[in-house]
Amino acid sequence: MGTSVKRTTRTALAAPVLGLAALFASAAPALAADGATVADLKPVPGQPVDGAGGQGMVEISGTTLSFTLAAQGLLADAPHAAHIHFGADARHECPTAADNNAAALAGETNEGDHLTTTEGGPAYGEIVVSLTKSGDTSPKSGLAVDRFGVGDDIKYSRGDVQVSEEVAQAILSGQAVVVVHGVDYDGDGAYSAGDRGMSDLDPSLPGEATDPAICGVLNASQMGDMPSGGVSTGGGSTTGTEHAGLIGLGALAVAGGGAGLFLARRRTSTES
Ligand SMILES: [Cu+2]
C-alpha cells in the first residue's frame, strides 16, 4: 500500500513538469530576419522647417530593434516626438503637399497652412514604435513629450526595443517611415496654439507640438551611404535624458497652459 501511494505522488508530480516542457517546445522562435535600414529625414512639404533634416537608423534582429535618431534644425528648446509609422494600407511614403487636404480642424483657422499628423496618415500609417529616449516605446508613448529628444540638435540611440513580427518585416521591406514632429508655424519660438489651435491628437497639446516636421522612409538600399559609427548595439544611451526632459517640460508648460496638465497626467499613466 505504501508503494502505491508513492507511485501516485510521483505521477502527479511528473505531469506538470511534462506539461511545462511541452509548452516551451511549442513556443516556436520568431522568424529570424536581420537587417539594417536608414531613413534620410527631410522637411515635410509645406511645413515651415526649411533647412531641417536628420537621419533615422534602424537595425532589426528578429523582433528586436535598435535605433539611432538624429535631427537638426527643428524648433530649439522644444521636445520633438519621433516615431516609426507603418500601415498595411498606407502608401509607405512621406506626405506630399496633396495630403494637406483635410477640412479645418477645431481651432484651425486656415487648414491649408498646416499639414497635420492625421493628414499624413494615408502616406505613412499609424505609429508602430515610439522612438523615446527612455521607458515605453509602444504607440501608447506617441505623445510622451517628456521622453523625446529636445531642441535643434538631437541625437540618441537605444537598443532592445521589442516589436511585432509584422513591424519587423515592414521595416526590413522598406514600408516603414520615420517621422519627427514639432513645428513653429507662427515663429514665436515655442509651441503655442496660434492659428493652428490645439492638437487633434491630444486637445491639451498645441497642434504645433504634434504636427509632422521631417520625414523619411526606412530603406535598406541606402545602407551604402550610411556614415561610419552607425547604429550602436544595445544598452540605450540615455545620458542627460532627465535634464533634457525637464527642459522640454518647462518649455511646454510655459507655452501651452494645458500642456503642463497633459504632462502630469501622462507621467502617472506611463511611469510607475
Ligand atoms: Cu509620428
mmCIF file with all atom_site columns, all heavy atoms in Angstrom, residues 18 57 65 80 127 138-139 155 177 181 199 210 214 220 226 271:
data_model
loop_
_atom_site.group_PDB
_atom_site.id
_atom_site.type_symbol
_atom_site.label_atom_id
_atom_site.label_alt_id
_atom_site.label_comp_id
_atom_site.label_asym_id
_atom_site.label_entity_id
_atom_site.label_seq_id
_atom_site.pdbx_PDB_ins_code
_atom_site.Cartn_x
_atom_site.Cartn_y
_atom_site.Cartn_z
_atom_site.occupancy
_atom_site.B_iso_or_equiv
_atom_site.pdbx_formal_charge
_atom_site.auth_seq_id
_atom_site.auth_comp_id
_atom_site.auth_asym_id
_atom_site.auth_atom_id
_atom_site.pdbx_PDB_model_num
ATOM 1   N N   . LEU A 1 18  ? 6.056  17.695 -17.380 1.00 0.00 ? 18  LEU A N   1
ATOM 2   C CA  . LEU A 1 18  ? 5.935  17.396 -18.809 1.00 0.00 ? 18  LEU A CA  1
ATOM 3   C C   . LEU A 1 18  ? 5.155  18.495 -19.517 1.00 0.00 ? 18  LEU A C   1
ATOM 4   O O   . LEU A 1 18  ? 5.495  18.909 -20.611 1.00 0.00 ? 18  LEU A O   1
ATOM 5   C CB  . LEU A 1 18  ? 5.227  16.045 -19.005 1.00 0.00 ? 18  LEU A CB  1
ATOM 6   C CG  . LEU A 1 18  ? 6.128  14.818 -18.869 1.00 0.00 ? 18  LEU A CG  1
ATOM 7   C CD1 . LEU A 1 18  ? 5.283  13.538 -18.904 1.00 0.00 ? 18  LEU A CD1 1
ATOM 8   C CD2 . LEU A 1 18  ? 7.170  14.800 -19.989 1.00 0.00 ? 18  LEU A CD2 1
ATOM 9   N N   . MET A 1 57  ? 18.326 55.610 -38.146 1.00 0.00 ? 57  MET A N   1
ATOM 10  C CA  . MET A 1 57  ? 18.969 54.339 -38.495 1.00 0.00 ? 57  MET A CA  1
ATOM 11  C C   . MET A 1 57  ? 18.370 53.254 -37.621 1.00 0.00 ? 57  MET A C   1
ATOM 12  O O   . MET A 1 57  ? 18.311 53.401 -36.405 1.00 0.00 ? 57  MET A O   1
ATOM 13  C CB  . MET A 1 57  ? 20.477 54.445 -38.263 1.00 0.00 ? 57  MET A CB  1
ATOM 14  C CG  . MET A 1 57  ? 21.135 55.428 -39.214 1.00 0.00 ? 57  MET A CG  1
ATOM 15  S SD  . MET A 1 57  ? 22.915 55.616 -38.912 1.00 0.00 ? 57  MET A SD  1
ATOM 16  C CE  . MET A 1 57  ? 22.922 56.806 -37.578 1.00 0.00 ? 57  MET A CE  1
ATOM 17  N N   . LEU A 1 65  ? 14.744 45.505 -32.013 1.00 0.00 ? 65  LEU A N   1
ATOM 18  C CA  . LEU A 1 65  ? 15.119 46.670 -32.822 1.00 0.00 ? 65  LEU A CA  1
ATOM 19  C C   . LEU A 1 65  ? 16.070 47.556 -32.027 1.00 0.00 ? 65  LEU A C   1
ATOM 20  O O   . LEU A 1 65  ? 15.932 47.708 -30.817 1.00 0.00 ? 65  LEU A O   1
ATOM 21  C CB  . LEU A 1 65  ? 13.828 47.417 -33.162 1.00 0.00 ? 65  LEU A CB  1
ATOM 22  C CG  . LEU A 1 65  ? 13.788 48.741 -33.907 1.00 0.00 ? 65  LEU A CG  1
ATOM 23  C CD1 . LEU A 1 65  ? 12.429 48.898 -34.558 1.00 0.00 ? 65  LEU A CD1 1
ATOM 24  C CD2 . LEU A 1 65  ? 14.030 49.913 -32.965 1.00 0.00 ? 65  LEU A CD2 1
ATOM 25  N N   . HIS A 1 80  ? 10.683 66.986 -29.364 1.00 0.00 ? 80  HIS A N   1
ATOM 26  C CA  . HIS A 1 80  ? 10.253 66.553 -30.694 1.00 0.00 ? 80  HIS A CA  1
ATOM 27  C C   . HIS A 1 80  ? 9.891  65.074 -30.681 1.00 0.00 ? 80  HIS A C   1
ATOM 28  O O   . HIS A 1 80  ? 10.774 64.213 -30.704 1.00 0.00 ? 80  HIS A O   1
ATOM 29  C CB  . HIS A 1 80  ? 11.336 66.867 -31.722 1.00 0.00 ? 80  HIS A CB  1
ATOM 30  C CG  . HIS A 1 80  ? 11.537 68.340 -31.927 1.00 0.00 ? 80  HIS A CG  1
ATOM 31  N ND1 . HIS A 1 80  ? 10.670 69.093 -32.689 1.00 0.00 ? 80  HIS A ND1 1
ATOM 32  C CD2 . HIS A 1 80  ? 12.427 69.209 -31.405 1.00 0.00 ? 80  HIS A CD2 1
ATOM 33  C CE1 . HIS A 1 80  ? 11.051 70.371 -32.653 1.00 0.00 ? 80  HIS A CE1 1
ATOM 34  N NE2 . HIS A 1 80  ? 12.121 70.468 -31.876 1.00 0.00 ? 80  HIS A NE2 1
ATOM 35  N N   . ILE A 1 127 ? 1.357  55.138 -35.785 1.00 0.00 ? 127 ILE A N   1
ATOM 36  C CA  . ILE A 1 127 ? 2.585  54.956 -35.011 1.00 0.00 ? 127 ILE A CA  1
ATOM 37  C C   . ILE A 1 127 ? 2.712  53.474 -34.650 1.00 0.00 ? 127 ILE A C   1
ATOM 38  O O   . ILE A 1 127 ? 1.772  52.889 -34.114 1.00 0.00 ? 127 ILE A O   1
ATOM 39  C CB  . ILE A 1 127 ? 2.536  55.778 -33.701 1.00 0.00 ? 127 ILE A CB  1
ATOM 40  C CG1 . ILE A 1 127 ? 2.483  57.273 -33.992 1.00 0.00 ? 127 ILE A CG1 1
ATOM 41  C CG2 . ILE A 1 127 ? 3.729  55.442 -32.803 1.00 0.00 ? 127 ILE A CG2 1
ATOM 42  C CD1 . ILE A 1 127 ? 2.164  58.114 -32.751 1.00 0.00 ? 127 ILE A CD1 1
ATOM 43  N N   . SER A 1 138 ? 6.073  51.784 -27.026 1.00 0.00 ? 138 SER A N   1
ATOM 44  C CA  . SER A 1 138 ? 4.880  51.376 -27.775 1.00 0.00 ? 138 SER A CA  1
ATOM 45  C C   . SER A 1 138 ? 4.157  52.610 -28.316 1.00 0.00 ? 138 SER A C   1
ATOM 46  O O   . SER A 1 138 ? 4.479  53.747 -27.957 1.00 0.00 ? 138 SER A O   1
ATOM 47  C CB  . SER A 1 138 ? 3.955  50.576 -26.856 1.00 0.00 ? 138 SER A CB  1
ATOM 48  O OG  . SER A 1 138 ? 3.228  51.463 -26.029 1.00 0.00 ? 138 SER A OG  1
ATOM 49  N N   . PRO A 1 139 ? 3.152  52.408 -29.163 1.00 0.00 ? 139 PRO A N   1
ATOM 50  C CA  . PRO A 1 139 ? 2.363  53.553 -29.643 1.00 0.00 ? 139 PRO A CA  1
ATOM 51  C C   . PRO A 1 139 ? 1.735  54.365 -28.514 1.00 0.00 ? 139 PRO A C   1
ATOM 52  O O   . PRO A 1 139 ? 1.462  55.550 -28.693 1.00 0.00 ? 139 PRO A O   1
ATOM 53  C CB  . PRO A 1 139 ? 1.278  52.881 -30.499 1.00 0.00 ? 139 PRO A CB  1
ATOM 54  C CG  . PRO A 1 139 ? 1.913  51.620 -30.983 1.00 0.00 ? 139 PRO A CG  1
ATOM 55  C CD  . PRO A 1 139 ? 2.779  51.148 -29.846 1.00 0.00 ? 139 PRO A CD  1
ATOM 56  N N   . LYS A 1 155 ? 20.406 63.898 -30.932 1.00 0.00 ? 155 LYS A N   1
ATOM 57  C CA  . LYS A 1 155 ? 20.947 62.598 -31.347 1.00 0.00 ? 155 LYS A CA  1
ATOM 58  C C   . LYS A 1 155 ? 20.930 61.651 -30.153 1.00 0.00 ? 155 LYS A C   1
ATOM 59  O O   . LYS A 1 155 ? 21.457 61.969 -29.093 1.00 0.00 ? 155 LYS A O   1
ATOM 60  C CB  . LYS A 1 155 ? 22.375 62.724 -31.884 1.00 0.00 ? 155 LYS A CB  1
ATOM 61  C CG  . LYS A 1 155 ? 22.891 61.380 -32.409 1.00 0.00 ? 155 LYS A CG  1
ATOM 62  C CD  . LYS A 1 155 ? 24.128 61.511 -33.275 1.00 0.00 ? 155 LYS A CD  1
ATOM 63  C CE  . LYS A 1 155 ? 24.478 60.147 -33.878 1.00 0.00 ? 155 LYS A CE  1
ATOM 64  N NZ  . LYS A 1 155 ? 25.694 60.188 -34.686 1.00 0.00 ? 155 LYS A NZ  1
ATOM 65  N N   . VAL A 1 177 ? 8.136  54.265 -42.000 1.00 0.00 ? 177 VAL A N   1
ATOM 66  C CA  . VAL A 1 177 ? 8.515  55.661 -42.187 1.00 0.00 ? 177 VAL A CA  1
ATOM 67  C C   . VAL A 1 177 ? 8.851  56.292 -40.831 1.00 0.00 ? 177 VAL A C   1
ATOM 68  O O   . VAL A 1 177 ? 8.103  56.130 -39.870 1.00 0.00 ? 177 VAL A O   1
ATOM 69  C CB  . VAL A 1 177 ? 7.352  56.445 -42.841 1.00 0.00 ? 177 VAL A CB  1
ATOM 70  C CG1 . VAL A 1 177 ? 7.741  57.898 -43.075 1.00 0.00 ? 177 VAL A CG1 1
ATOM 71  C CG2 . VAL A 1 177 ? 6.931  55.788 -44.154 1.00 0.00 ? 177 VAL A CG2 1
ATOM 72  N N   . HIS A 1 181 ? 8.297  65.130 -35.138 1.00 0.00 ? 181 HIS A N   1
ATOM 73  C CA  . HIS A 1 181 ? 7.210  66.102 -35.060 1.00 0.00 ? 181 HIS A CA  1
ATOM 74  C C   . HIS A 1 181 ? 7.621  67.387 -34.326 1.00 0.00 ? 181 HIS A C   1
ATOM 75  O O   . HIS A 1 181 ? 8.586  67.412 -33.589 1.00 0.00 ? 181 HIS A O   1
ATOM 76  C CB  . HIS A 1 181 ? 6.013  65.484 -34.328 1.00 0.00 ? 181 HIS A CB  1
ATOM 77  C CG  . HIS A 1 181 ? 5.497  64.225 -34.975 1.00 0.00 ? 181 HIS A CG  1
ATOM 78  N ND1 . HIS A 1 181 ? 4.352  64.193 -35.738 1.00 0.00 ? 181 HIS A ND1 1
ATOM 79  C CD2 . HIS A 1 181 ? 5.988  62.959 -34.984 1.00 0.00 ? 181 HIS A CD2 1
ATOM 80  C CE1 . HIS A 1 181 ? 4.152  62.949 -36.175 1.00 0.00 ? 181 HIS A CE1 1
ATOM 81  N NE2 . HIS A 1 181 ? 5.135  62.183 -35.725 1.00 0.00 ? 181 HIS A NE2 1
ATOM 82  N N   . SER A 1 199 ? -4.002 70.435 -30.657 1.00 0.00 ? 199 SER A N   1
ATOM 83  C CA  . SER A 1 199 ? -3.801 69.239 -31.482 1.00 0.00 ? 199 SER A CA  1
ATOM 84  C C   . SER A 1 199 ? -5.051 68.373 -31.567 1.00 0.00 ? 199 SER A C   1
ATOM 85  O O   . SER A 1 199 ? -5.769 68.198 -30.582 1.00 0.00 ? 199 SER A O   1
ATOM 86  C CB  . SER A 1 199 ? -2.662 68.410 -30.892 1.00 0.00 ? 199 SER A CB  1
ATOM 87  O OG  . SER A 1 199 ? -2.535 67.188 -31.588 1.00 0.00 ? 199 SER A OG  1
ATOM 88  N N   . THR A 1 210 ? 2.556  68.546 -32.209 1.00 0.00 ? 210 THR A N   1
ATOM 89  C CA  . THR A 1 210 ? 2.333  67.193 -32.733 1.00 0.00 ? 210 THR A CA  1
ATOM 90  C C   . THR A 1 210 ? 2.350  67.093 -34.258 1.00 0.00 ? 210 THR A C   1
ATOM 91  O O   . THR A 1 210 ? 2.390  65.996 -34.793 1.00 0.00 ? 210 THR A O   1
ATOM 92  C CB  . THR A 1 210 ? 0.989  66.620 -32.219 1.00 0.00 ? 210 THR A CB  1
ATOM 93  O OG1 . THR A 1 210 ? -0.104 67.359 -32.781 1.00 0.00 ? 210 THR A OG1 1
ATOM 94  C CG2 . THR A 1 210 ? 0.910  66.684 -30.701 1.00 0.00 ? 210 THR A CG2 1
ATOM 95  N N   . ILE A 1 214 ? 9.834  66.591 -40.041 1.00 0.00 ? 214 ILE A N   1
ATOM 96  C CA  . ILE A 1 214 ? 10.715 65.944 -41.016 1.00 0.00 ? 214 ILE A CA  1
ATOM 97  C C   . ILE A 1 214 ? 10.377 64.460 -41.085 1.00 0.00 ? 214 ILE A C   1
ATOM 98  O O   . ILE A 1 214 ? 9.846  63.887 -40.135 1.00 0.00 ? 214 ILE A O   1
ATOM 99  C CB  . ILE A 1 214 ? 12.214 66.159 -40.696 1.00 0.00 ? 214 ILE A CB  1
ATOM 100 C CG1 . ILE A 1 214 ? 12.541 65.700 -39.276 1.00 0.00 ? 214 ILE A CG1 1
ATOM 101 C CG2 . ILE A 1 214 ? 12.594 67.612 -40.886 1.00 0.00 ? 214 ILE A CG2 1
ATOM 102 C CD1 . ILE A 1 214 ? 14.023 65.801 -38.922 1.00 0.00 ? 214 ILE A CD1 1
ATOM 103 N N   . ALA A 1 220 ? 16.554 49.860 -46.839 1.00 0.00 ? 220 ALA A N   1
ATOM 104 C CA  . ALA A 1 220 ? 17.787 49.079 -46.736 1.00 0.00 ? 220 ALA A CA  1
ATOM 105 C C   . ALA A 1 220 ? 18.770 49.417 -47.844 1.00 0.00 ? 220 ALA A C   1
ATOM 106 O O   . ALA A 1 220 ? 19.968 49.296 -47.669 1.00 0.00 ? 220 ALA A O   1
ATOM 107 C CB  . ALA A 1 220 ? 17.468 47.591 -46.778 1.00 0.00 ? 220 ALA A CB  1
ATOM 108 N N   . MET A 1 226 ? 25.469 54.939 -45.513 1.00 0.00 ? 226 MET A N   1
ATOM 109 C CA  . MET A 1 226 ? 25.451 55.071 -44.061 1.00 0.00 ? 226 MET A CA  1
ATOM 110 C C   . MET A 1 226 ? 26.811 55.515 -43.548 1.00 0.00 ? 226 MET A C   1
ATOM 111 O O   . MET A 1 226 ? 27.830 54.929 -43.878 1.00 0.00 ? 226 MET A O   1
ATOM 112 C CB  . MET A 1 226 ? 25.094 53.722 -43.438 1.00 0.00 ? 226 MET A CB  1
ATOM 113 C CG  . MET A 1 226 ? 24.747 53.819 -41.988 1.00 0.00 ? 226 MET A CG  1
ATOM 114 S SD  . MET A 1 226 ? 24.063 52.241 -41.432 1.00 0.00 ? 226 MET A SD  1
ATOM 115 C CE  . MET A 1 226 ? 24.594 52.290 -39.734 1.00 0.00 ? 226 MET A CE  1
ATOM 116 N N   . GLU A 1 271 ? 4.440  55.944 -16.197 1.00 0.00 ? 271 GLU A N   1
ATOM 117 C CA  . GLU A 1 271 ? 5.587  55.605 -15.363 1.00 0.00 ? 271 GLU A CA  1
ATOM 118 C C   . GLU A 1 271 ? 5.090  55.123 -14.013 1.00 0.00 ? 271 GLU A C   1
ATOM 119 O O   . GLU A 1 271 ? 4.174  55.684 -13.448 1.00 0.00 ? 271 GLU A O   1
ATOM 120 C CB  . GLU A 1 271 ? 6.493  56.814 -15.186 1.00 0.00 ? 271 GLU A CB  1
ATOM 121 C CG  . GLU A 1 271 ? 6.731  57.523 -16.516 1.00 0.00 ? 271 GLU A CG  1
ATOM 122 C CD  . GLU A 1 271 ? 8.130  58.096 -16.620 1.00 0.00 ? 271 GLU A CD  1
ATOM 123 O OE1 . GLU A 1 271 ? 8.749  58.321 -15.558 1.00 0.00 ? 271 GLU A OE1 1
ATOM 124 O OE2 . GLU A 1 271 ? 8.575  58.294 -17.728 1.00 0.00 ? 271 GLU A OE2 1
#
